[in-house]
Amino acid sequence: MIAKSMVNYVKGSSVIRAMFEEGKRMAALYGAENVYDFSLGNPSVQPPAAVKEAIVDILENEDETYVHGYMSNAGYEDVRAAIAESLNKKHGTSFSEKNILMTVGAAGGLNVVFKTILDPGDEVITFSPFFGEYRNYVANYNGVLVEVPPTDDFMPEEESFRAAFSEKTKAVIINNPNNPTGVVYSEDTIKMIAKVMEEKEAEYNKAIYLVADEPYRELVYDGAEVVYLTKYYKDTIVGYSYSKSLSLPGERIGYLVMPDEIDDFENVVAAAAVANRILGFVNAPSLIQRAVAKCTEAEVDVEIYNKNRELLYKSLIDMGYECIKPQGAFYLFVKAMGGDDKAFVAKAKEFNLLLVPGSTFGGPGYARIAYCVDYDMIVRALPAFEKLAACYK
Amino acid sequence: MIAKSMVNYVKGSSVIRAMFEEGKRMAALYGAENVYDFSLGNPSVQPPAAVKEAIVDILENEDETYVHGYMSNAGYEDVRAAIAESLNKKHGTSFSEKNILMTVGAAGGLNVVFKTILDPGDEVITFSPFFGEYRNYVANYNGVLVEVPPTDDFMPEEESFRAAFSEKTKAVIINNPNNPTGVVYSEDTIKMIAKVMEEKEAEYNKAIYLVADEPYRELVYDGAEVVYLTKYYKDTIVGYSYSKSLSLPGERIGYLVMPDEIDDFENVVAAAAVANRILGFVNAPSLIQRAVAKCTEAEVDVEIYNKNRELLYKSLIDMGYECIKPQGAFYLFVKAMGGDDKAFVAKAKEFNLLLVPGSTFGGPGYARIAYCVDYDMIVRALPAFEKLAACYK
């Protein structure tokens, strides 16, 4: 008696989440130290001390009915102003609180965006491989996700991007730094995307929004730069989350940036606030809204992830695995030995290694390894990776 | 360039929320003490001390990556078990953690339910007047809200209820204690609802879910009893929120109860967890999940609302207003003098009184007064109510 649209979801469920549950089951069975769960992007690095200090400070010094109460659906004005100011300082932008809408994480924010802009049948373009939930977020509003095929280096390529557009294109969504590949788009790549989109806006004589999904913005290595997209393309909406930068994924806190210059600004902002309400979010959680406003300068210790990255990348390459060295986020997207990612992931499980098949991300032939885990677990897991590779020799 | 479905939302926005914004504007203009804002159900009573103690205790004693991290989409197992146990103690039920799904407030929970069970065109029955957001929550999944006309005492009436069913009926949603009327349904009323629904399940040979929206369960006066619906009707799903019982509306925390005996239990529970994820909630906010589990015995001081209720009800009756004395929640649903609720509310605004027209709730000819405000504001507002009444004499 569940909805027809939910039947296949229940059958398939989320492969990633199923892995997460499987990991807990296996840990109970074999002992947590003997299961190597690389399946979920659940940060292993402690939140910065500033978060706890902020929460305690707020509880001690602010009025409780205010701290835990309703505010405008878009969020507390002072919180939004603090975030706007912090963005302006970092990126030389000129946002104010009216450009910021506080959301229930980036997932909540993306749903708000698609509810706001998508009519049934509207198309949203993304580059494969991509965060698999985009399929669902677009389908929630009867939109259609159009996948641009991947390139060898996972960098967007102009010709195939251009070919993905149609009269029904309403938005392009990009994830930079990228989940699952860990690549960071160069400024030239962003300029290419902006150029093509401007041409397509002119060709179809309508706005096409660039939705920038940026939960991994602060997690970059080797000095990689993540350019701020609103400066390159007028009709950009940014979705941000504190899940990774402050290690608060369970708290469901993030925001949307809707610059003044986007097409139909007043209506988009008004509709987004309504969407936040009627989708059942109502508002981003209140106490943690107030807390993140006090932590605009705080960041998790990225060096911990970097150490994981260096160890895992070098070890895997030495063992004969093939993958691009990630410059951002906390994922390695490794070629599935034998070519079939589902078979490879199933084989990995025999060695208590939990990975996610690339086809979940529109990237068959690969597997994703989330290295937001304890360094020691990586060390303990290396023999298992070795044994897995040996199966294919 | 916003979605066509959002255009009317932006035009109309929420009348209640528009009032909230208007109240802030007027407070800036006339001084907060001269504006009498009765428009929003934003609790004025402090959360119980146990909430702050729980949060601080968790921050001091639990691992931060656990407290702020992802958990199962349904919520922390120990939190769900604690809530199940507390319900069993209060209501003599026999729930376990698998019957509980933690949600982003009741609004999030109701969206999860409707995403889980509604196919396009499915009908959901409710009794007028009702919480206006039901229209949107049902429409989000292309369902149709069917309104049973109100009675004089706002109690569900058998004949018109029976007439509302069709082959497309998938659910009935009731709100007890009721927003906006403040009535509490008697056990006989609940038995009538259960009886009719059982007959209709048999007639149409399918499950029809009773969705019990219960954020006001603990806010009752004069010893009124709110019976627990799962004990009266097999296919009941309860939506609960801590917004009012612990004064935490901004925190977005609540839960669904899905008893073992509901039709298609395994699929409903699995689909609800998926819906929680793909709608963008992902999970209920983590820290506050852990906090409410420690506060299952805590409640706000209902006597504060009761004092407001007594003063306001008696004063309004003395002035010639007509309304039923509410037994629950924190709303008075007063007859609009002159008969036109929108005109009445507009007239009230001339005296800096912010009310919400009954038509927002499918109850034209009335206005809602939310008395979850400072007692002193009610005292200051009485002359304004007096002047408003004088306009109609």
Side-chain angles (χ1 to χ4, degrees), chain A residues 263-280:
Chain A
D263 183 77
D264 208 13
F265 170 73
E266 296 289 345
N267 280 325
V268 168
V269 163
V274 171
N276 208 29
R277 193 190 90 224
I278 68 178
L279 291 175

Side-chain angles (χ1 to χ4, degrees), chain A residues 280-360:
Chain A
F281 303 113
V282 182
N283 52 251
S286 51
L287 169 61
I288 204 79
Q289 270 196 53
R290 303 204 63 71
V292 296
K294 290 174 175 280
C295 300
T296 53
E297 302 299 312
E299 276 175 36
V300 294
D301 183 358
V302 176
E303 188 48 36
I304 297 174
Y305 292 129
N306 189 35
K307 201 177 150 203
N308 289 356
R309 179 184 76 122
E310 294 290 3
L311 171 66
L312 193 58
Y313 176 76
K314 186 178 179 306
S315 304
L316 292 179
I317 294 295
D318 287 349
M319 293 174 198
Y321 290 95
E322 288 177 66
C323 70
I324 288 179
K325 189 171 187 183
Q327 284 200 292
F330 39 45
Y331 307 106
L332 271 167
F333 207 52
V334 64
K335 261 197 184 160
M337 289 180 170
D340 178 337
D341 54 322
K342 285 179 184 166
F344 176 73
V345 165
K347 179 60 77 181
K349 215 176 112 188
E350 293 177 17
F351 302 102
N352 287 3
L353 280 172
L354 299 181
L355 317 178
V356 183
S359 42
T360 304

